[in-house]
Amino acid sequence: MWSPAALCCRTVPGAGPLLLQGLHTFNRVFGREYRDLCKQPAHRLRDEGSGRTAGMRPCLLASGKAKYRQRAPTYPVLDGRILPVYRHVFEDNLRNSEAVVKRHSELLELVRKGGGDQAVWRHTQRNKKLFVRERLKLLLDHESFLELSPLAGLSMPYGDVPAAGCITGIGKICGLWCVFTANDATVKGGTIYPIGVKKQLRAQEIAMQNRLVSVYLVDSGGAFLPLQAELFPDKSHGGRVFYNEAVMSAMRIPQVAVVCGSCVAGGAYIPTMAEEAVIIDKIGTLFLAGPPLVKAATGEYVSPEDLGGARLHSQVSGCCDHFASSEKEAYECVRNIVSTLNYEPLPEEAIEHDSPLYSSDELLGLAPQDYRCTLPVKLILSRLLDGSRFQEFKANYGTTLVTGFGHVEGRLVGIVANNGELSHDASLKGCHFVQLCSRSSIPILFFQNTAPQAAEPPSISQAEAHASRLKAQASMMAAVACAAVPKITIVVGGCFGSESYVMCGRSFSPDFLFLWPNARVGLVDSRHLSTVPQAGDSDQRGEEAELKQLKEKLEEESSAFYSSARLWDDGIILPQNTRKVIAQCLKITEQQKYQVVSRCQHPVIRM
């Protein structure tokens, strides 16, 4: 904006008295109108403008239409060649990547079978219901969707719970990106385990962060009672799902539920708190206590259909708004409901962009099996960015952190990538760059490969340098935490210690966080712990045994598969698919610009 004060200071050489008098009059009027404009409430300015801007980021208020900057043709091209000096490290990494990718494929194949062949047969043949992945095919548009945390629930202390008993993800319905949560009744009969609650809460968190329509396919037997202490009482337990439904409704985030099976106890609240609910005849039931409990309490037998079937809830109780005679009809109904939502059409034209100059398959050899096998991070960037072009920021300062701008499928992004230990200078550079991205509303991609931290304390001579680095890292932490832009974190190597926080780890709530299958997640890297005691010292031999046991525990708990099973991330992605996943996430975070937000600030109250 032009400043009135600056205009008042300008003079015109050779101007006569009449011209100067006219300029002073203009400046007084301009300055008064400018000050009056600044005094108006923000909501009044917004309402007098486009009328479609509530809840959007400040730099996006100018227009609701799709406007994308063209890729700057002058961005320098990265040199992504694998030099001969790197070849042996590349080949070692490649062998490790092939092993972990094979393990990843085996686990995915296991998870896609749900509760096993017998459970799927019973679900589909005896109970006459569709398998959960067949339901998603009817619900979603015919294009790929982003599945979240598919390996959640494996090797838990209470046993395997494939996919945590529910499938969550983001897909398109009638052209709109929607979050879906679909119970898989073939896994433990749809019973909810602690990890299943955590997965549902994460799906809701993503919906709230990105203002995405939420669809629930409910087929749940309620909570697993032997683990009720881990399911019921705390803030982040089962009740939080219902709390979030109310808050999301108040945020004007539409929610639709389908009762496509048994909804018992806590599972019954999900459809009744959604803004619209569909129930399927003969297979959909809704009650707090089923027929067996009625029989035990009163001695009376009542059928599931009479106690809480589709006709009862659509004609008598009003708990459900739409009656569907079949599953196919139910998902068509949901698609019709989504089509009534007040969203502007999303831009359909594809943004022109160049492909990277180097093959994404080579990322398998750039995924470090160990921090000591890390190659320059620009080799990774050259295989992800459009045209392998990268406008670097402060290229010669704090070189252990690479920062700059590039494009992914035509969308401008800021890049923050580890390229060594996060030093004092690197942290200050990162702090500066993150603030620049936040000011300009540019999404930030973090490529995390943090240096393992030694378990031993630093020497006195190192204390001052460590303190200085700590202060700089704290500054970058604050900048990352407060940056009001979409943040996507990809762990390409190690995720260790406090540096993982600085690089937007899980605690700093990135919009999405994914791991490569070679990634390691832990407070310290077990492979960098000291293990050699003094010979002949029995106490130290005992310490060595304890240290060995600790190392084995850390080694197991730091693997990407252990992390993903516990929902410390949003899933493991293959290195060669990284560019596609990032592009999907960027499109998803953009959609909220096209939502028409009303002024109403209370949830939809049913009945």
Side-chain angles (χ1 to χ4, degrees):
M1 294 291 295
W2 287 102
S3 168
L7 288 173
C8 290
C9 295
R10 294 178 179 270
T11 59
V12 180
L18 291 176
L19 180 57
L20 289 174
Q21 183 178 358
L23 283 173
H24 290 313
T25 302
F26 170 79
N27 289 333
R28 284 197 301 273
V29 173
F30 182 85
R32 182 171 63 252
E33 291 183 352
Y34 179 82
R35 287 191 296 273
D36 292 342
L37 184 67
C38 293
K39 291 178 182 178
Q40 293 188 41
H43 67 83
R44 183 176 173 186
L45 293 175
R46 180 179 67 239
D47 295 342
E48 292 176 355
S50 64
R52 299 171 182 261
T53 58
M56 298 182 190
R57 295 189 175 94
C59 291
L60 300 176
L61 299 182
S63 172
K65 295 182 179 179
K67 291 183 179 178
Y68 302 109
R69 294 191 186 99
Q70 295 296 321
R71 175 183 58 79
T74 56
Y75 281 13
V77 176
L78 292 170
D79 183 1
R81 293 174 297 171
I82 309 295
L83 300 178
V85 69
Y86 299 145
R87 183 55 60 179
H88 69 288
V89 177
F90 181 89
E91 292 174 354
D92 288 345
N93 288 340
L94 182 59
R95 283 191 290 271
N96 180 70
S97 291
E98 289 171 347
V100 293
V101 166
K102 181 181 178 182
R103 174 64 175 157
H104 177 251
S105 300
E106 292 171 350
L107 292 176
L108 278 182
E109 187 65 26
L110 175 67
V111 163
R112 288 185 178 128
K113 295 178 180 178
D117 294 339
Q118 186 174 356
V120 171
W121 181 89
R122 186 166 55 247
H123 177 84
T124 57
Q125 301 302 315
R126 192 182 74 182
N127 298 337
K128 306 300 180 184
K129 296 193 287 187
L130 292 177
F131 186 47
V132 62
R133 295 188 182 272
E134 296 300 318
R135 288 170 170 170
L136 293 177
K137 288 180 181 178
L138 294 176
L139 175 68
L140 303 175
D141 293 352
H142 298 299
E143 54 183 275
S144 61
F145 63 86
L146 179 64
E147 184 172 354
L148 301 171
S149 304
L151 301 185
L154 296 181
S155 302
M156 300 298 290
Y158 39 78
D160 282 340
V161 187
C166 62
I167 298 177
T168 62
I170 306 170
K172 280 189 175 182
I173 301 176
C174 297
L176 289 181
W177 290 107
C178 303
V179 170
F180 60 82
T181 301
N183 293 115
D184 184 356
T186 69
V187 177
K188 314 291 185 183
T191 305
I192 301 173
Y193 280 70
I195 192 64
V197 171
K198 189 175 182 180
K199 189 170 182 179
Q200 292 183 47
L201 290 176
R202 175 56 183 158
Q204 289 181 319
E205 181 185 5
I206 290 174
M208 287 189 279
Q209 278 183 319
N210 298 285
R211 303 192 61 85
L212 299 174
V213 180
S214 291
V215 178
Y216 306 94
L217 305 186
V218 194
D219 190 354
S220 169
F224 183 60
L225 287 179
L227 294 176
Q228 65 87 27
E230 300 175 47
L231 278 164
F232 171 71
D234 206 356
K235 178 180 177 181
S236 59
H237 287 171
R240 194 70 178 186
V241 174
F242 317 133
Y243 172 87
N244 286 345
E245 284 191 79
V247 171
M248 289 164 68
S249 183
M251 291 173 65
R252 314 268 60 83
I253 298 174
Q255 298 168 90
V256 184
V258 181
V259 181
C260 49
S262 177
C263 296
V264 183
Y269 285 109
I270 292 177
T272 52
M273 292 196 69
E275 294 172 352
E276 291 191 58
V278 183
I279 190 167
I280 303 171
D281 192 25
K282 298 293 190 294
I283 64 172
T285 54
L286 190 68
F287 30 62
L288 291 179
L293 285 181
V294 173
K295 176 74 172 176
T298 66
E300 179 184 1
Y301 172 77
V302 59
S303 70
E305 194 68 23
D306 292 336
L307 184 62
R311 297 190 182 278
L312 174 77
H313 285 306
S314 60
Q315 298 175 7
V316 180
S317 74
C319 284
C320 295
D321 310 294
H322 306 276
F323 174 91
S325 58
S326 66
E327 291 209 51
K328 182 179 179 181
E329 182 182 330
Y331 305 127
E332 287 177 353
C333 182
V334 173
R335 293 179 60 83
N336 291 338
I337 292 170
V338 172
S339 70
T340 67
L341 302 177
N342 200 8
Y343 279 75
E344 292 184 5
L346 301 182
E348 295 180 358
E349 67 277 7
I351 304 174
E352 293 185 3
H353 61 270
D354 296 330
S355 299
L357 300 181
Y358 303 92
S359 172
S360 61
D361 291 335
E362 293 177 328
L363 290 170
L364 291 170
L366 298 174
Q369 63 170 328
D370 183 87
Y371 188 76
R372 291 165 292 195
C373 297
T374 299
L375 297 176
V377 74
K378 289 181 184 177
L379 297 177
I380 293 177
L381 300 182
S382 67
R383 287 156 176 82
L384 297 176
L385 300 178
D386 293 358
S388 301
R389 293 182 178 274
F390 182 60
Q391 177 63 33
E392 191 165 2
F393 175 75
K394 287 192 174 182
N396 300 320
Y397 179 81
T399 55
T400 56
L401 187 73
V402 172
T403 56
F405 298 100
H407 292 77
V408 177
E409 293 195 3
R411 289 167 172 80
L412 179 64
V413 292
I415 305 288
V416 180
N418 286 118
N419 199 39
E421 187 175 346
L422 197 58
S423 64
H424 170 271
D425 291 352
S427 300
L428 292 181
K429 167 181 166 179
C431 176
H432 184 181
F433 181 75
V434 166
Q435 291 177 84
L436 291 179
C437 292
S438 183
R439 182 201 63 184
S440 301
S441 292
I442 298 173
I444 307 175
L445 304 183
F446 293 87
F447 291 94
Q448 190 176 134
N449 182 21
T450 58
Q453 296 181 342
E456 301 84 2
S459 64
I460 296 176
S461 62
Q462 294 174 306
E464 184 176 347
H466 276 259
S468 177
R469 186 176 67 178
L470 181 64
K471 288 189 290 184
Q473 289 183 356
S475 298
M476 186 174 171
M477 274 192 199
V480 170
C482 298
V485 295
K487 289 167 278 192
I488 302 169
T489 301
I490 310 292
V491 181
V492 301
C495 175
F496 298 113
S498 59
E499 289 188 15
S500 69
Y501 304 144
V502 184
M503 291 296 293
C504 202
R506 191 62 145 180
S507 302
F508 277 63
S509 295
D511 290 62
F512 298 97
L513 186 150
F514 298 102
L515 306 182
W516 282 3
N518 59 290
R520 313 292 299 183
V521 180
L523 184 60
V524 296
D525 187 350
S526 62
R527 292 168 290 191
H528 290 258
L529 292 178
S530 174
T531 58
V532 182
Q534 294 289 334
D537 190 328
S538 59
D539 291 337
Q540 289 188 347
R541 281 198 297 271
E543 292 176 2
E544 181 184 14
E546 291 181 7
L547 186 58
K548 182 180 178 182
Q549 185 177 0
L550 175 61
K551 282 182 58 125
E552 291 173 352
K553 187 174 188 292
L554 291 176
E555 183 72 15
E556 176 190 357
E557 294 179 354
S558 64
S559 78
F561 304 111
Y562 189 95
S563 167
S564 206
R566 284 150 184 79
L567 277 164
W568 298 346
D569 52 73
D570 294 317
I572 295 173
I573 60 174
L574 301 183
Q576 61 268 37
N577 294 339
T578 303
R579 176 177 160 88
K580 176 184 176 182
V581 171
I582 291 174
Q584 274 187 311
C585 292
L586 292 173
K587 293 174 187 176
I588 289 165
T589 60
E590 277 184 353
Q591 179 172 284
Q592 60 183 301
K593 294 189 293 185
Y594 306 101
Q595 184 181 8
V596 181
V597 183
S598 68
R599 302 177 191 176
C600 182
Q601 292 300 319
H602 58 75
V604 173
I605 307 299
R606 297 177 59 88
M607 305 306 289

